[in-house]
C-alpha cells in the first residue's frame, strides 16, 4: 500500500454508455456545472460508447466542456470491467490523474460540490483506496450500495428475509465492498491490484475489485456528506440473461482465490454468516 498523501494532480472520470445517450449528456452537464460554478470536478472525462450511438457522439463533440472529453468508441460491446480498464489505460497514456472515477450514466449529482468532499477523504486518509458517496433511489430511500462479503448464507438471508443495509450508517470504512455505480479510486491503488477482473461480466467485478483492494491493505471510505441518486436497474430481477450472468459471476467469485483468502483472513467476523 502506498501511504503518501494526495497530491493535487486531478480527477479523471470514466463513463460507459450502452444506449444511455440522454443520461450521459445530463451527467456531463451536471459535472460541467460543478466546474463552471467554481467547484472542484474532473479535469478529464473518458466516455466509452459501448454500442453505436452517433447522436451521442455528435452531441458531445458539438459542445464545449470545461474538462477534456475523450470518446472511446467500441467496434463490439465489451464488459463493464473491460471498458473501465481501457479508459484507465488511456488516461495513463494521456497523463494519468491521481484519482480515477467510475460513474454510471444513471447517476444524478445532488450536491453542488460533490467531488471536493470526496477528494478530501483521500487527502485525510492515505490508506483509502476507494472513496464513495451515499446513494439514494428516486424516492429518496437509502440504497444498500455498501455490503459485507457475499457468502451463500448471507445472500440466502438477504433474499428470504429481506435483510438489507448490512453496513450501519455510522460505520464508514467497514464495508467489504461497494457497488461500482459511483466510486473514486486512488490511481496507484487501482493500478496496484490490476484494475477490474475482466472475466466477470456485468456482475461481481465490483465485489472482486474491492476484496483485492482490501487484501492489498487499502480501505473503502464513505463520504457521508455526499449523496447521489442512482436509478438501480436490477436487470437480473427481470431478465433471464442477466440473471444467468449474475449467477455465473457469483460462482466465479466463490471459487476464486481472492474470495477464499479474504474469507480466511476475516473468518472471525464471518463465523456466524456462513
Amino acid at each position: 500500500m502506498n501511504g503518501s498523501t494526495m497530491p493535487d494532480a486531478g480527477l479523471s472520470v470514466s463513463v460507459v454508455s450502452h444506449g444511455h445517450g440522454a443520461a450521459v449528456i445530463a451527467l456531463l452537464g451536471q459535472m460541467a456545472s460543478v466546474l463552471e460554478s467554481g467547484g472542484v470536478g474532473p479535469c478529464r472525462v473518458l466516455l466509452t460508447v459501448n454500442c453505436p450511438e452517433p447522436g451521442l457522439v455528435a452531441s458531445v463533440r458539438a459542445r464545449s466542456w470545461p474538462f477534456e472529453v475523450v470518446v472511446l468508441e467500441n467496434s463490439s460491446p465489451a464488459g463493464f470491467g473491460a471498458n473501465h480498464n481501457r479508459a484507465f489505460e488511456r488516461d495513463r497514456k494521456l497523463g494519468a490523474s491521481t484519482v480515477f472515477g467510475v460513474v454510471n450514466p444513471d447517476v444524478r449529482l445532488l450536491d453542488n460540490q460533490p467531488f471536493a468532499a470526496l477528494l478530501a477523504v483521500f487527502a485525510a486518509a492515505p490508506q483509502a483506496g476507494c472513496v464513495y458517496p451515499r446513494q439514494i433511489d428516486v424516492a429518496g430511500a437509502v440504497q444498500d450500495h455498501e455490503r459485507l462479503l457475499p457468502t451463500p448464507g448471507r445472500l440466502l438471508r438477504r433474499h428470504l428475509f429481506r435483510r438489507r443495509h448490512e453496513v450501519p450508517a455510522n460505520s464508514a470504512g467497514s464495508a467489504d465492498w461497494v457497488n461500482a455505480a459511483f466510486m473514486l479510486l486512488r490511481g496507484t491503488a487501482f493500478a496496484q491490484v490490476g484494475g477490474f477482473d475482466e472475466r466477470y461480466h456485468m456482475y461481481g467485478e465490483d465485489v472482486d475489485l474491492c476484496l483485492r483492494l482490501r487484501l492489498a491493505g487499502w480501505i473503502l471510505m464513505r463520504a457521508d456528506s455526499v449523496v447521489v441518486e442512482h436509478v438501480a436497474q436490477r436487470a437480473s430481477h427481470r431478465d433471464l440473461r442477466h440473471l444467468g450472468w449474475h449467477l455465473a459471476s457469483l460462482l466465479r467469485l466463490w471459487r476464486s482465490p481472492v474470495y477464499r483468502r479474504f474469507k480466511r483472513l476475516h473468518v472471525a467476523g464471518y463465523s456466524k454468516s456462513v
Side-chain angles (χ1 to χ4, degrees):
M1 187 184 80
N2 184 346
S4 62
T5 56
M6 179 64 57
D8 296 325
L11 163 69
S12 293
V13 171
S14 174
V15 179
V16 177
S17 179
H18 193 93
H20 298 99
V24 169
I25 294 297
L27 177 61
L28 293 183
Q30 284 199 296
M31 291 192 288
S33 294
V34 171
L35 286 166
E36 290 165 350
S37 64
V40 176
C43 61
R44 178 182 298 134
V45 174
L46 301 110
L47 171 61
T48 300
V49 182
N50 202 32
C51 58
E53 290 184 78
L56 170 60
V57 174
S59 295
V60 169
R61 289 178 172 161
R63 178 171 169 179
S64 177
W65 302 96
F67 38 70
E68 178 186 5
V69 177
V70 179
V71 178
L72 308 172
E73 296 184 78
N74 289 345
S75 56
S76 59
F80 180 93
N83 280 321
H84 288 297
N85 284 349
R86 301 300 169 269
F88 182 70
E89 291 168 6
R90 176 64 68 88
D91 188 55
R92 298 185 82 183
K93 290 179 181 178
L94 294 172
S97 297
T98 303
V99 177
F100 179 72
V102 172
V103 181
N104 276 13
D106 60 355
V107 162
R108 187 163 72 94
L109 307 180
L110 301 180
D111 188 321
N112 289 331
Q113 302 295 339
F115 297 108
L118 291 161
L119 294 174
V121 177
F122 283 116
Q127 73 276 30
C130 171
V131 176
Y132 59 97
R134 292 187 293 129
Q135 290 182 23
I136 63 173
D137 61 21
V138 293
V142 177
Q143 294 194 339
D144 55 339
H145 59 289
E146 47 186 352
R147 303 181 192 174
L148 301 179
L149 186 72
T151 64
R154 181 170 284 123
L155 288 180
L156 182 64
R157 285 193 296 276
R158 178 181 179 81
H159 290 283
L160 287 181
F161 303 110
R162 302 296 180 184
R163 293 186 179 178
R164 301 289 193 265
H165 305 294
E166 299 168 348
V167 177
N170 61 353
S171 59
S174 63
D176 291 333
W177 70 278
V178 298
N179 75 27
F182 192 123
M183 57 167 55
L184 300 190
L185 298 148
R186 193 183 294 264
T188 51
F190 192 63
Q192 179 187 351
V193 301
F196 288 103
D197 186 335
E198 298 178 17
R199 292 173 296 180
Y200 292 89
H201 187 78
M202 288 188 68
Y203 299 99
E205 305 98 325
D206 42 12
V207 186
D208 170 79
L209 174 68
C210 291
L211 296 187
R212 285 185 288 116
L213 285 170
R214 294 285 308 277
L215 288 171
W218 301 98
I219 63 173
L220 319 176
M221 294 291 294
R222 183 179 66 231
D224 285 321
S225 64
V226 184
V227 182
V228 300
E229 182 182 282
H230 177 220
V231 185
Q233 298 298 318
R234 304 193 185 279
S236 64
H237 294 188
R238 307 182 308 274
D239 188 313
L240 289 178
R241 182 179 58 168
H242 283 260
L243 177 61
W245 289 337
H246 203 163
L247 293 175
S249 291
L250 272 175
L251 290 174
R252 177 179 292 280
L253 178 71
W254 288 335
R255 294 170 178 169
S256 72
V258 170
Y259 177 88
R260 291 197 296 270
R261 184 182 172 210
F262 189 92
K263 186 178 178 183
R264 183 173 66 252
L265 292 176
H266 296 77
V267 66
Y270 298 118
S271 59
K272 297 180 180 180
S273 304
V274 295

